[in-house]
Amino acid sequence: MSARLAGKRVFVTGAAAGIGAAIARACAEQGAAVCLADTDLGGAERLAGELTTAGHRALAVECDIAERASVEMAVALARERLGPLTTLVNNAGMNVFHEPLAMPDDAWRRCLAVDLEGAWLCSRAVLPDLLANGGGAIVNIASTHAFSIIRGCFPYPVAKHGLIGLTRALGVEYAARGVRVNAIAPGYIATPAVEAHWRTFDDPAAARGRIEALLPPGRLGRPEEVAMTAVFLASDEAPFINASCITIDGGRGAVHHD
């Protein structure tokens, strides 16, 4: 069977660790040339080096998606080294959780800048390549926070709701020109950031167990399980999926309450 992303050139943000790293790895293993963009350049370079050693085409670039100049420089370098981009995965983001009236003003601005505006800045930088190619794919990594509200998590769900709106608006706007824009909404996924969160509790195992008990499979998802959905949406196997969102939460969203 041929590689599912052969000939694709994929720009992945937040690619140094967690879901982004899993997506970058999966795309490379499926034949794509991959640009790993992250503020953690060292982490991105380590993974890019590993992929290159394994025979894949991979490039690491430093990129702060909240800064337009940084995005444009990173995309330009990726284009120069890999060729015109065919695919964008907007994965980079940050957790900003507050009780609304106790939230510092800077927290609101930073959350919206990274979790929503950053996806637009990257899309704006990559879209000209996709349109010139006659088509391509954008995959936005949203969250189940885009549909459900947990008290004390403001303003993160505001940004993720907006990311679904961005997905749908761009998907409709450019569909006739061959560009598909979709989102993935992960639930509880066992990323390094989530594992670090458990360690803040007096009993990390018990804290994790309480969450696992809420999930129908009795476990957290794995980054690789999100990554393969991103591969599918980036591939030519999904030509009529557009302006949509795939939820990856083990069925938690189907549970009325526990």
Short mmCIF file of all heavy atoms in Angstrom, two decimals, residues 167-193:
data_model
loop_
_atom_site.label_atom_id
_atom_site.label_comp_id
_atom_site.label_asym_id
_atom_site.label_seq_id
_atom_site.Cartn_x
_atom_site.Cartn_y
_atom_site.Cartn_z
N THR A 167 -13.02 27.41 11.45
CA THR A 167 -13.01 26.20 10.62
C THR A 167 -14.14 26.22 9.61
O THR A 167 -13.95 25.99 8.41
CB THR A 167 -13.12 24.95 11.50
OG1 THR A 167 -12.00 24.90 12.40
CG2 THR A 167 -13.17 23.68 10.67
N ARG A 168 -15.31 26.50 10.10
CA ARG A 168 -16.49 26.47 9.22
C ARG A 168 -16.46 27.62 8.21
O ARG A 168 -16.78 27.43 7.03
CB ARG A 168 -17.76 26.53 10.07
CG ARG A 168 -17.91 25.34 11.02
CD ARG A 168 -19.15 25.45 11.87
NE ARG A 168 -20.36 25.32 11.07
CZ ARG A 168 -21.58 25.52 11.54
NH1 ARG A 168 -21.76 25.90 12.80
NH2 ARG A 168 -22.62 25.36 10.75
N ALA A 169 -16.05 28.80 8.67
CA ALA A 169 -16.04 29.96 7.77
C ALA A 169 -15.03 29.79 6.64
O ALA A 169 -15.35 30.02 5.46
CB ALA A 169 -15.73 31.23 8.57
N LEU A 170 -13.80 29.37 6.97
CA LEU A 170 -12.79 29.18 5.93
C LEU A 170 -13.14 27.99 5.03
O LEU A 170 -12.89 28.03 3.82
CB LEU A 170 -11.41 28.98 6.55
CG LEU A 170 -10.80 30.19 7.26
CD1 LEU A 170 -9.43 29.83 7.83
CD2 LEU A 170 -10.69 31.39 6.34
N GLY A 171 -13.71 26.95 5.63
CA GLY A 171 -14.08 25.79 4.83
C GLY A 171 -15.11 26.12 3.76
O GLY A 171 -15.00 25.68 2.61
N VAL A 172 -16.09 26.93 4.13
CA VAL A 172 -17.11 27.33 3.17
C VAL A 172 -16.54 28.32 2.16
O VAL A 172 -16.81 28.24 0.95
CB VAL A 172 -18.33 27.93 3.90
CG1 VAL A 172 -19.29 28.58 2.92
CG2 VAL A 172 -19.04 26.84 4.71
N GLU A 173 -15.72 29.24 2.64
CA GLU A 173 -15.18 30.29 1.78
C GLU A 173 -14.35 29.73 0.63
O GLU A 173 -14.42 30.23 -0.50
CB GLU A 173 -14.32 31.24 2.62
CG GLU A 173 -13.88 32.50 1.89
CD GLU A 173 -15.00 33.51 1.74
OE1 GLU A 173 -15.92 33.52 2.57
OE2 GLU A 173 -14.93 34.30 0.76
N TYR A 174 -13.55 28.70 0.91
CA TYR A 174 -12.59 28.24 -0.09
C TYR A 174 -12.87 26.85 -0.64
O TYR A 174 -12.05 26.30 -1.39
CB TYR A 174 -11.18 28.30 0.50
CG TYR A 174 -10.74 29.72 0.78
CD1 TYR A 174 -10.63 30.19 2.08
CD2 TYR A 174 -10.47 30.59 -0.27
CE1 TYR A 174 -10.24 31.50 2.33
CE2 TYR A 174 -10.09 31.90 -0.04
CZ TYR A 174 -9.97 32.36 1.26
OH TYR A 174 -9.61 33.65 1.50
N ALA A 175 -14.02 26.29 -0.34
CA ALA A 175 -14.33 24.93 -0.81
C ALA A 175 -14.31 24.83 -2.33
O ALA A 175 -13.80 23.86 -2.89
CB ALA A 175 -15.70 24.50 -0.28
N ALA A 176 -14.87 25.82 -3.01
CA ALA A 176 -14.95 25.77 -4.47
C ALA A 176 -13.57 25.85 -5.12
O ALA A 176 -13.43 25.56 -6.31
CB ALA A 176 -15.85 26.88 -4.99
N ARG A 177 -12.55 26.22 -4.34
CA ARG A 177 -11.19 26.30 -4.87
C ARG A 177 -10.33 25.14 -4.39
O ARG A 177 -9.11 25.16 -4.49
CB ARG A 177 -10.57 27.65 -4.50
CG ARG A 177 -11.38 28.83 -5.08
CD ARG A 177 -10.81 30.17 -4.72
NE ARG A 177 -9.50 30.40 -5.32
CZ ARG A 177 -8.79 31.52 -5.14
NH1 ARG A 177 -9.29 32.50 -4.37
NH2 ARG A 177 -7.61 31.66 -5.70
N GLY A 178 -10.99 24.11 -3.87
CA GLY A 178 -10.30 22.88 -3.55
C GLY A 178 -9.71 22.77 -2.17
O GLY A 178 -9.02 21.79 -1.86
N VAL A 179 -9.97 23.76 -1.31
CA VAL A 179 -9.40 23.74 0.04
C VAL A 179 -10.44 23.19 1.02
O VAL A 179 -11.58 23.65 1.04
CB VAL A 179 -8.96 25.14 0.48
CG1 VAL A 179 -8.47 25.14 1.92
CG2 VAL A 179 -7.86 25.66 -0.45
N ARG A 180 -10.03 22.20 1.79
CA ARG A 180 -10.88 21.65 2.84
C ARG A 180 -10.36 22.09 4.21
O ARG A 180 -9.15 22.02 4.45
CB ARG A 180 -10.89 20.12 2.78
CG ARG A 180 -11.49 19.55 1.51
CD ARG A 180 -11.40 18.04 1.46
NE ARG A 180 -10.02 17.58 1.36
CZ ARG A 180 -9.33 17.01 2.32
NH1 ARG A 180 -9.88 16.84 3.52
NH2 ARG A 180 -8.09 16.61 2.14
N VAL A 181 -11.24 22.56 5.06
CA VAL A 181 -10.86 23.00 6.40
C VAL A 181 -11.72 22.25 7.41
O VAL A 181 -12.95 22.37 7.39
CB VAL A 181 -11.03 24.53 6.58
CG1 VAL A 181 -10.47 24.96 7.93
CG2 VAL A 181 -10.35 25.28 5.44
N ASN A 182 -11.08 21.48 8.26
CA ASN A 182 -11.80 20.68 9.25
C ASN A 182 -11.13 20.80 10.61
O ASN A 182 -10.01 21.31 10.73
CB ASN A 182 -11.83 19.21 8.82
CG ASN A 182 -12.70 18.99 7.60
OD1 ASN A 182 -13.92 19.13 7.66
ND2 ASN A 182 -12.07 18.65 6.47
N ALA A 183 -11.82 20.34 11.62
CA ALA A 183 -11.29 20.39 12.98
C ALA A 183 -11.38 19.02 13.63
O ALA A 183 -12.18 18.16 13.23
CB ALA A 183 -12.07 21.41 13.82
N ILE A 184 -10.56 18.84 14.63
CA ILE A 184 -10.60 17.68 15.51
C ILE A 184 -10.78 18.20 16.93
O ILE A 184 -10.09 19.14 17.33
CB ILE A 184 -9.32 16.84 15.41
CG1 ILE A 184 -9.13 16.29 14.00
CG2 ILE A 184 -9.32 15.72 16.43
CD1 ILE A 184 -7.77 15.64 13.78
N ALA A 185 -11.69 17.59 17.67
CA ALA A 185 -11.93 18.01 19.06
C ALA A 185 -11.54 16.88 20.00
O ALA A 185 -12.35 15.99 20.27
CB ALA A 185 -13.39 18.40 19.26
N PRO A 186 -10.30 16.87 20.49
CA PRO A 186 -9.91 15.85 21.45
C PRO A 186 -10.53 16.09 22.82
O PRO A 186 -10.75 17.24 23.22
CB PRO A 186 -8.38 15.98 21.52
CG PRO A 186 -8.00 16.84 20.36
CD PRO A 186 -9.17 17.73 20.12
N GLY A 187 -10.80 15.00 23.52
CA GLY A 187 -11.18 15.07 24.91
C GLY A 187 -9.95 14.89 25.79
O GLY A 187 -8.92 15.53 25.57
N TYR A 188 -10.04 14.00 26.78
CA TYR A 188 -8.89 13.75 27.64
C TYR A 188 -7.88 12.86 26.92
O TYR A 188 -8.14 11.68 26.65
CB TYR A 188 -9.34 13.08 28.93
CG TYR A 188 -10.00 14.02 29.91
CD1 TYR A 188 -11.38 14.06 30.06
CD2 TYR A 188 -9.23 14.89 30.69
CE1 TYR A 188 -11.99 14.93 30.96
CE2 TYR A 188 -9.82 15.77 31.58
CZ TYR A 188 -11.21 15.78 31.72
OH TYR A 188 -11.79 16.64 32.61
N ILE A 189 -6.72 13.43 26.60
CA ILE A 189 -5.65 12.72 25.90
C ILE A 189 -4.40 12.73 26.79
O ILE A 189 -4.08 13.75 27.41
CB ILE A 189 -5.32 13.38 24.55
CG1 ILE A 189 -6.60 13.55 23.71
CG2 ILE A 189 -4.25 12.59 23.81
CD1 ILE A 189 -7.27 12.26 23.29
N ALA A 190 -3.72 11.62 26.85
CA ALA A 190 -2.55 11.47 27.74
C ALA A 190 -1.32 12.13 27.14
O ALA A 190 -0.39 11.47 26.66
CB ALA A 190 -2.29 9.99 28.01
N THR A 191 -1.30 13.45 27.15
CA THR A 191 -0.16 14.22 26.68
C THR A 191 0.78 14.53 27.85
O THR A 191 0.38 14.40 29.02
CB THR A 191 -0.62 15.55 26.06
OG1 THR A 191 -1.25 16.33 27.09
CG2 THR A 191 -1.62 15.30 24.93
N PRO A 192 2.01 14.96 27.58
CA PRO A 192 2.89 15.34 28.68
C PRO A 192 2.29 16.44 29.57
O PRO A 192 2.48 16.42 30.79
CB PRO A 192 4.16 15.83 27.96
CG PRO A 192 4.18 15.05 26.69
CD PRO A 192 2.72 14.92 26.28
N ALA A 193 1.55 17.37 28.97
CA ALA A 193 0.94 18.43 29.77
C ALA A 193 -0.11 17.88 30.72
O ALA A 193 -0.22 18.31 31.87
CB ALA A 193 0.32 19.48 28.85
#
